[in-house]
Amino acid sequence: MYNCSYKGIGAIFSSTDTVCTLQVLHQDETPLLYSLVFGEGVVNDATSVVLFNAVQKIDVDRFNGWSALHIFLDFLYLFSTSTALGVAAGLLTSYILRGLYFGRRSSVREISLMLLMAYLPYMLAELFSLSGILTVFFAGILMSHYAWHNVTDSSRISTRHAFEAMSFIAETFIFLYVGMDALDIEKWKMSKQSVWTSMGIYGTVLLLISVGRAAFVFPLSAFSNFMNRRATRAPSITFKHQIVIWWAGLMRGAVSIALAFKQFTSSGVTVDSVHAVMVTTTVIVVLFSTLGFSVARYRTSPANR
């Protein structure tokens, strides 16, 4: 009876949070490692949301090969259309700032235009049932490469600080919400699980995340090194770097929390014991992976030895 609610669990726990690892890496010292961790971090969240939306349409009772193909095609449709919408929005913003007079020579207009045009693709994506986060991601890439260079120096400084401030506030709010929800006694009572059973669930999920992460990182790194040796054009990913990439992907963050609450709660409230278990498990996994793995990574960083 709960199959329809659990289709997105894999997507929920596949979203990583590599911000902490990036704080202890230096782009000048390890450019390849930094690029790999950063690139995965910015793409992974958007891909997880797209995958989550795609698997929601699965009919578990009638799942077969055609269903798997349908999921794959639906994923490609969401990914491609969301990407195209984001690219179009970014290019349109660049054209307006560069070619049209009313958007130039005024810092207020330039900043307002960039803020509004950054939000427009998200609204359009939600309107057409696409992935808003993926659309905003690609719109941001295009705007940072083209639109941002078509504004005045004062507008560049202002927009950079404005977006950084909004990002910091949003991320802080998410983790404050996670912390407050961890103290929601009603959810813990609703789960109706003993302490040892709960610990077993948390440990199992963390173990599966670790094993799944290893099964993804090490084979792909070996394949990449093999292809690079044949091409003799790019540096190899060393085993130490593979360990760092694996470790960086163990942390879970805001996207996992958002997807779990979307799937297992109604306006933040759950009345089902099994759903309460999933919400509390997600909260514990996010808190433990963020705090535990982050502290361990920070202490083992060469910069802090």
Side-chain angles (χ1 to χ4, degrees):
M1 63 181 293
Y2 294 110
N3 286 339
C4 61
S5 299
Y6 299 152
K7 294 179 293 186
I9 290 179
I12 290 173
F13 288 114
S14 67
S15 174
T16 62
D17 188 353
T18 59
V19 174
C20 177
T21 305
L22 292 175
Q23 299 302 315
V24 297
L25 293 179
H26 300 282
Q27 188 173 7
D28 296 333
E29 297 178 2
T30 55
L32 176 62
L33 178 61
Y34 187 93
S35 298
L36 290 173
V37 174
F38 176 78
E40 182 193 11
V42 296
V43 175
N44 187 276
D45 288 347
T47 306
S48 299
V49 175
V50 175
L51 181 62
F52 178 84
N53 292 331
V55 299
Q56 296 305 301
K57 302 178 181 179
I58 300 176
D59 186 354
V60 179
D61 297 328
R62 300 179 180 178
F63 186 79
N64 50 37
W66 288 108
S67 300
L69 178 62
H70 178 73
I71 295 172
F72 179 71
L73 294 177
D74 191 49
F75 174 82
L76 289 181
Y77 167 76
L78 289 174
F79 193 93
S80 59
T81 52
S82 300
T83 300
L85 180 59
V87 170
L91 293 177
L92 178 62
T93 305
S94 303
Y95 172 75
I96 292 175
L97 291 173
R98 182 178 179 85
L100 300 185
Y101 179 79
F102 72 87
R104 302 173 62 184
R105 299 182 182 179
S106 172
S107 295
V108 174
R109 293 177 183 175
E110 289 177 338
I111 296 171
S112 301
L113 187 62
M114 291 191 70
L115 289 173
L116 293 175
M117 291 300 292
Y119 188 56
L120 176 63
Y122 177 83
M123 292 192 298
L124 292 177
E126 293 297 319
L127 179 64
F128 294 112
S129 300
L130 302 177
S131 173
I133 187 172
L134 187 64
T135 302
V136 171
F137 170 69
F138 281 100
I141 291 178
L142 269 295
M143 291 177 67
S144 65
H145 279 76
Y146 299 104
W148 193 72
H149 296 284
N150 292 328
V151 298
T152 60
D153 292 337
S154 60
S155 297
R156 294 179 189 177
I157 297 174
S158 300
T159 52
R160 178 183 293 275
H161 289 304
F163 280 115
E164 287 181 354
M166 288 189 291
S167 175
F168 178 78
I169 292 172
E171 187 170 319
T172 302
F173 174 79
I174 288 292
F175 281 100
L176 284 175
Y177 188 83
V178 172
M180 291 186 294
D181 195 75
L183 301 177
D184 186 358
I185 305 301
E186 294 300 325
K187 282 190 176 64
W188 297 97
K189 292 181 178 179
M190 183 65 67
S191 63
K192 299 179 181 179
Q193 300 290 334
S194 65
V195 175
W196 293 110
T197 301
S198 299
M199 294 295 291
I201 295 174
Y202 307 150
T204 301
V205 172
L206 289 170
L207 177 63
L208 291 176
I209 290 174
S210 302
V211 173
R213 180 69 181 170
F216 162 75
V217 170
F218 296 111
L220 286 183
S221 298
F223 178 75
S224 176
N225 291 337
F226 174 75
M227 297 301 295
N228 288 336
R229 281 196 296 269
R230 293 187 59 183
T232 63
R233 57 182 175 82
S236 298
I237 306 174
T238 65
F239 183 72
K240 290 183 178 179
H241 287 178
Q242 294 177 33
I243 294 294
V244 174
I245 296 172
W246 170 77
W247 189 273
L250 295 180
M251 288 170 277
R252 298 298 180 266
V255 175
S256 295
I257 290 292
L259 294 179
F261 272 77
K262 178 181 179 181
Q263 182 72 3
F264 299 112
T265 68
S266 176
S267 300
V269 178
T270 179
V271 295
D272 185 273
S273 60
V274 181
H275 288 182
V277 170
M278 293 309 306
V279 172
T280 54
T281 300
T282 305
V283 171
I284 292 299
V285 168
V286 169
L287 290 177
F288 180 82
S289 62
T290 302
L291 296 177
F293 294 153
S294 299
V295 171
R297 178 61 195 151
Y298 180 80
R299 289 186 176 276
T300 56
S301 172
N304 298 288
R305 291 177 181 174

